[in-house]
Amino acid sequence: MLLKKVRLGDLLVDNKVITSKQLDDALKEQKTNRQRLGKLLVNLGYVEEKQLLQLLAEQLNIKFIDLVGFKIDAKAVKNLNEMTARRLRALVIDEKPDHFLVVMADPTDLAKYDQLQESLSKPLEICVAIESEIIANIDNFYRSGDEIFDLAGALEDDLTEESFGLPSLNENVSNDEAPVAKFLQGLFEQAIQIKASDIHIEPDAQVLRVRMRVDGQLQEQVIKESRIVAALVLRLKLMCGLDISEKRIPQDGRFRIRAKNHDVDIRLSTMPIQHGESVVMRLLDQSAGLLKLEHTGIEAKLLREVRTLLSFPHGLILVTGPTGSGKTTTLYAALSELNEPKKKIITIEDPVEYKLSRVNQVQVNPKIDLSFAKVLRAVLRQDPDIILIGEMRDQETAEIGLRAAVTGHLVLSTLHTNDSLSAAVRLSDMGAEPYLLASGLRGVISQRLVRRICSSCGEDYQPDEQEMSWLNKFVDHQDVTAWRHGKGCVQCHNTGYRGRAAIFEILIPDLTMLEAIRKRSYGEFVKLANASETFTPLSTSAISLAKQGITSLEEVLRVCESIEDISEHQ
């Protein structure tokens, strides 16, 4: 197959896609930034990339392929090495008996075409595809999973019986080329690439399981070289400064890495299990920056209510939800909004997850008896305006926090409860006095995370019988043009979801609710809250996202504990 050189600018002008003036402007711009003309025209907004490529394909008499939903042959992809694929912006998507089917971002670049032909063993059928989709597929198909398997084999080959001794491991720590260092680097790079929040290293009887949590769900890789786990755990312990001779008790540590141009804090936890030590690492990407409240996915009405709570000069605001529901992210977003020179903000955390300028952040340390309660007493002598308590875990912390809330401080904290209505009961069970609760509580935000439908493969669909059984009772179909779900594609690893959004339940108690708390009438408090027009339950927020096509009904049902839970709050 032979390609020909095309004068792209003239082609677009002749077909009245752009004007001569737009072409002249783009050519002038090209002299300074040296971008390809096609990319420059797209960036300037003169032409849609898909429209440009379809016209180019027609002129060259080749196919335009929409890679979204296209079934790419994973084996065929590997005929071209990753470095060449990235450099040439090309991908082998299928292998025929007598040729390869290859997509390129710029098929007019004859030099790249010649390099492709030299790199592959069969003739080429060249097609054109959107560059961002080619890069996304390169990222997916050349994930460092294969490299990790290769490194695991190399690491096991490198290990001798003496390799587990302390002296040789200390030597390896300073050797960046050691297989164990390469393996861990590959592991972290893969985690960052797929945006994993956690890495689990779990030794089994015959294999090593490496699982990564992506959008709240674990994805598993099974590595047959189980013997390497001891070297990995020891290396990780050394990186954290933990006791490498102690394998019988859990240990916690922290270190920082840089991979794929990301600065990532790693929180590590080890635990002895049947076949060795399990390691779980939480990844905190410092390069990503803090979310703003409006970027958490919260609806405009609920955002106004949250900002109303944050405008109070004093009182207690709680964020509740299970582990991994995004409470800390919401609190940091709130703090960044409150952070200004005229306000003194002090946080008490375990651990400090993100560094905030102008904010005094304290990390508790149980080993030296530096508890939440002890730090909180000291904080009150530091003349703060706003105090963030990482978590209310005990009676002492709860009571000091509430007293601070009623004596002129705005106190933010988290609490592990399933919904906002349980917060007052939980604090009361901890031993907090009802009069303090009634005087200090300003509002409770409860939240969960739901998976977003993949933008590449999202499509309309008809709800199944189970979904329809309660949709007919609780949802007005007239204001829903179509329900959506993701059918699964390469970009989302066939899950149908990519990324997450938060759903919120917000309770701002009025005087009657606070009086019920004061009288310990928690049943009456729950009844009044459910009847309140200002109360927005989690289920309503979840269904709203499904109506907008952001998440699926499957996710709504997963997050809402039961149909009865939905019906109670409608």
Side-chain angles (χ1 to χ4, degrees):
M1 177 181 182
L2 294 175
L3 294 177
K4 58 183 178 180
K5 192 71 178 176
V6 171
R7 290 179 63 86
L8 182 61
D10 293 341
L11 177 66
L12 292 170
V13 172
D14 292 344
N15 284 272
K16 298 182 179 179
V17 176
I18 62 172
T19 65
S20 297
K21 183 180 183 306
Q22 287 175 327
L23 176 59
D24 291 340
D25 291 343
L27 289 171
K28 288 177 184 176
E29 181 75 17
Q30 190 182 36
K31 290 178 181 178
T32 57
N33 62 25
R34 300 185 179 278
Q35 278 188 335
R36 294 200 322 269
L37 181 60
K39 189 170 185 179
L40 189 57
L41 289 166
V42 171
N43 290 343
L44 290 171
Y46 293 161
V47 62
E48 293 288 333
E49 186 175 8
K50 189 171 183 177
Q51 181 188 14
L52 183 152
L53 293 178
Q54 286 173 332
L55 181 62
L56 186 60
E58 184 180 335
Q59 184 70 21
L60 292 171
N61 196 27
I62 63 176
K63 296 177 184 174
F64 168 79
I65 292 184
D66 187 349
L67 291 180
V68 176
F70 186 91
K71 191 170 183 180
I72 297 174
D73 184 342
K75 290 183 179 178
V77 169
K78 299 304 171 67
N79 283 285
L80 190 66
N81 69 62
E82 180 180 1
M83 187 177 296
T84 304
R86 290 190 185 280
R87 180 166 50 84
L88 302 181
R89 293 292 193 264
L91 189 72
V92 180
I93 59 175
D94 200 7
E95 182 177 3
K96 304 295 183 184
D98 59 346
H99 70 275
F100 288 113
L101 186 63
V102 181
V103 288
M104 293 182 69
D106 183 9
T108 65
D109 192 326
L110 300 184
K112 288 185 177 179
Y113 171 78
D114 290 339
Q115 291 176 56
L116 270 175
Q117 186 65 78
E118 290 175 8
S119 302
L120 294 167
S121 59
K122 293 180 183 180
L124 312 181
E125 180 185 346
I126 296 294
C127 305
V128 63
I130 293 173
E131 183 174 0
S132 60
E133 292 179 4
I134 292 176
I135 293 171
N137 279 279
I138 288 173
D139 287 342
N140 284 320
F141 281 105
Y142 292 100
R143 280 172 58 178
S144 50
D146 291 343
E147 181 186 353
I148 284 177
F149 288 122
D150 293 340
L151 287 170
L155 176 54
E156 183 172 62
D157 292 341
D158 190 64
L159 292 174
T160 63
E161 290 302 320
E162 292 78 25
S163 294
F164 297 99
L166 182 58
S168 62
L169 277 165
N170 276 325
E171 290 170 11
N172 282 343
V173 169
S174 61
N175 183 0
D176 289 337
E177 298 303 314
V180 64
K182 286 184 178 180
F183 181 91
L184 289 172
Q185 184 72 13
L187 199 64
F188 291 132
E189 287 181 354
Q190 182 185 1
I192 291 166
Q193 182 174 304
I194 64 176
K195 298 182 179 178
S197 60
D198 302 84
I199 302 173
H200 297 237
I201 298 175
E202 302 169 343
D204 211 332
Q206 303 296 328
V207 297
L208 169 63
R209 301 184 191 279
V210 176
R211 301 198 282 174
M212 298 190 185
R213 192 175 295 280
V214 181
D215 293 337
Q217 307 292 310
L218 286 171
Q219 298 179 4
E220 182 175 87
Q221 291 174 283
V222 178
I223 299 172
K224 62 181 180 180
E225 294 86 358
S226 60
R227 202 165 66 91
I228 70 174
V229 69
L232 295 178
V233 174
L234 283 170
R235 178 62 181 263
L236 289 167
K237 283 184 175 180
L238 284 165
M239 292 168 75
C240 292
L242 301 180
D243 184 353
I244 62 174
S245 64
E246 182 57 77
K247 302 179 182 179
R248 301 164 301 171
I249 60 173
Q251 296 188 68
D252 297 312
R254 188 169 187 162
F255 61 96
R256 172 173 283 204
I257 61 160
R258 182 167 179 80
K260 285 190 172 290
N261 296 318
H262 288 249
D263 292 313
V264 183
D265 276 346
I266 310 288
R267 284 166 44 191
L268 178 143
S269 170
T270 71
M271 184 174 67
I273 59 175
Q274 187 177 7
H275 299 292
E277 287 181 276
S278 165
V279 177
V280 176
M281 292 178 280
R282 169 65 57 88
L283 279 63
L284 301 168
D285 189 350
Q286 302 292 336
S287 306
L290 291 174
L291 275 182
K292 294 186 177 180
L293 279 173
E294 56 266 29
H295 296 156
T296 60
I298 188 169
E299 295 179 70
K301 173 180 175 291
L302 300 182
L303 180 59
R304 287 194 296 272
E305 292 180 6
V306 170
R307 285 182 167 145
T308 297
L309 287 175
L310 296 177
S311 68
F312 289 132
H314 56 81
L316 173 64
I317 301 171
L318 292 171
V319 181
T320 74
T323 301
S325 59
K327 300 187 298 296
T328 302
T329 300
T330 298
L331 280 178
Y332 272 109
L335 274 190
S336 64
E337 193 159 300
L338 292 168
N339 189 6
E340 53 187 56
K342 64 182 181 181
K343 292 179 181 176
K344 170 91 169 187
I345 302 176
I346 303 179
T347 73
I348 311 164
E349 305 172 64
D350 183 22
V352 174
E353 295 195 4
Y354 294 98
K355 311 298 188 294
L356 296 171
S357 60
R358 203 188 294 115
V359 176
N360 296 269
Q361 296 173 272
V362 183
Q363 181 164 322
V364 301
N365 188 347
K367 292 179 182 177
I368 58 172
D369 195 29
L370 192 64
S371 63
F372 277 104
K374 181 170 284 189
V375 176
L376 186 51
R377 286 196 195 91
V379 163
L380 292 174
R381 295 192 289 272
Q382 291 281 311
D383 188 30
D385 297 293
I386 299 168
I387 303 169
L388 184 146
I389 305 170
E391 183 185 345
M392 288 198 167
R393 297 178 177 175
D394 52 55
Q395 178 183 355
E396 190 175 16
T397 305
E399 287 211 343
I400 298 172
L402 280 166
R403 290 185 188 281
V406 299
T407 55
H409 305 89
L410 183 63
V411 180
L412 311 178
S413 188
T414 68
L415 195 65
H416 282 283
T417 63
N418 287 329
D419 55 34
S420 59
L421 302 182
S422 307
V425 178
R426 176 63 56 84
L427 287 175
S428 178
D429 289 343
M430 282 184 182
E433 292 293 339
Y435 75 90
L436 278 178
L437 265 174
S439 302
L441 187 63
R442 289 292 174 267
V444 186
I445 303 165
S446 184
Q447 69 180 80
R448 297 287 191 284
L449 295 176
V450 295
R451 291 179 291 172
R452 290 179 180 270
I453 295 170
C454 174
S455 58
S456 298
C457 64
E459 62 179 11
D460 296 346
Y461 90 114
Q462 180 62 34
D464 61 28
E465 290 184 9
Q466 181 188 3
E467 291 165 340
M468 286 299 297
S469 68
W470 63 266
L471 275 175
N472 290 329
K473 296 179 182 177
F474 305 118
V475 179
D476 183 0
H477 288 269
Q478 294 180 355
D479 60 353
V480 182
T481 55
W483 299 102
R484 292 180 64 78
H485 76 163
K487 64 180 180 180
C489 66
V490 172
Q491 278 80 0
C492 62
H493 310 297
N494 291 313
T495 62
Y497 300 98
R498 188 164 50 169
R500 291 191 288 180
I503 57 172
F504 295 89
E505 173 177 283
I506 298 177
L507 173 65
I508 302 178
D510 58 24
L511 291 175
T512 57
M513 295 181 214
L514 295 174
E515 186 60 28
I517 291 175
R518 192 187 305 275
K519 295 177 178 177
R520 298 181 186 266
S521 301
Y522 295 113
E524 180 68 16
F525 166 74
V526 171
K527 188 182 296 183
L528 289 167
N530 277 321
S532 172
E533 293 182 0
T534 61
F535 177 56
T536 306
L538 277 169
S539 51
T540 299
S541 181
I543 292 172
S544 176
L545 289 190
K547 285 180 178 181
Q548 297 171 56
I550 294 171
T551 192
S552 67
L553 291 172
E554 177 189 28
E555 274 294 278
V556 173
L557 285 170
R558 182 183 69 82
V559 172
C560 298
E561 291 182 352
S562 65
I563 295 172
E564 287 73 24
D565 173 61
I566 294 175
S567 63
E568 282 176 9
H569 296 121
Q570 294 294 320

